[in-house]
């Protein structure tokens, strides 16, 4: 089992910034953030790849930054230049991984199909 607890959501005006935090019970290779607005499908926001690099969704690349503090078991999402289209519930999530023959790891599924997730934190952006 794994516990994830998000915080930092809130209401801001367009153009504003927020930083989300996710405290996790253990560090994993494959972690990140996805969001979901009412009536829409889950959308990948940002993720830590199994090789330690980062990936971003098309809608968030260039505006959002994911980072991790291993010592604090905390994942962050810095969001800037927010727009009303960013309004959603934001979830911190993790998926399993597998070891490859070359010694690397691969995430077993997409983050939006999570193995573990937190309760979510609401972000609301007004125009």
């Amino acid at each position: 089992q794994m516990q994830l607890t998000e915080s930092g959501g809130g209401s801001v005006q367009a153009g504003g910034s927020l930083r989300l935090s996710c405290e996790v019970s253990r560090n994993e290779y494959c972690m990140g953030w996805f969001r979901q607005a009412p009536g829409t499908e889950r959308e990948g926001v940002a993720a830590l790849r199994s090789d330690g690099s980062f990936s971003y969704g098309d809608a968030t690349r260039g505006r959002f930054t994911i980072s991790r503090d291993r010592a604090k078991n905390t994942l962050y999402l810095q969001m800037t230049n927010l727009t009303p289209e960013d309004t959603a519930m934001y979830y911190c999530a993790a998926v399993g991984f597998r070891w490859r023959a070359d010694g690397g790891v691969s995430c077993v599924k997409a983050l939006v199909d999570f193995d573990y997730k937190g309760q979510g934190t609401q972000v609301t952006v007004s125009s």
Side-chain angles (χ1 to χ4, degrees):
Q1 282 295 328
M2 181 178 183
Q3 285 74 48
L4 305 94
T5 306
E6 303 96 335
S7 61
S11 298
V12 295
Q13 290 191 327
S17 301
L18 282 173
R19 188 175 83 154
L20 307 183
S21 299
C22 174
E23 186 173 346
V24 301
S25 57
R26 66 173 189 268
N27 288 303
E28 286 288 355
Y29 286 104
C30 303
M31 298 182 59
W33 299 87
F34 70 88
R35 66 188 182 186
Q36 189 168 25
T40 69
E41 295 186 351
R42 298 174 199 142
E43 178 187 10
V45 173
L48 303 175
R49 293 186 175 131
S50 57
D51 63 359
S53 63
F54 307 134
S55 65
Y56 295 92
D58 291 340
T60 59
R61 189 175 299 113
R63 299 186 297 123
F64 291 11
T65 304
I66 187 173
S67 62
R68 173 163 65 182
D69 187 330
R70 285 183 174 273
K72 295 182 179 180
N73 278 17
T74 302
L75 194 67
Y76 300 100
L77 184 69
Q78 179 68 49
M79 306 185 294
T80 62
N81 196 20
L82 287 161
T83 73
E85 289 69 35
D86 295 314
T87 295
M89 186 71 81
Y90 283 69
Y91 296 91
C92 177
V95 299
F97 66 94
R98 60 177 180 83
W99 292 102
R100 299 194 308 264
D102 63 1
V105 299
S106 294
C107 302
V108 298
K109 63 178 75 171
L111 199 67
V112 293
D113 298 322
F114 58 91
D115 289 322
Y116 304 101
K117 72 173 184 66
Q119 81 287 352
T121 186
Q122 178 69 36
V123 172
T124 303
V125 185
S126 58
S127 58

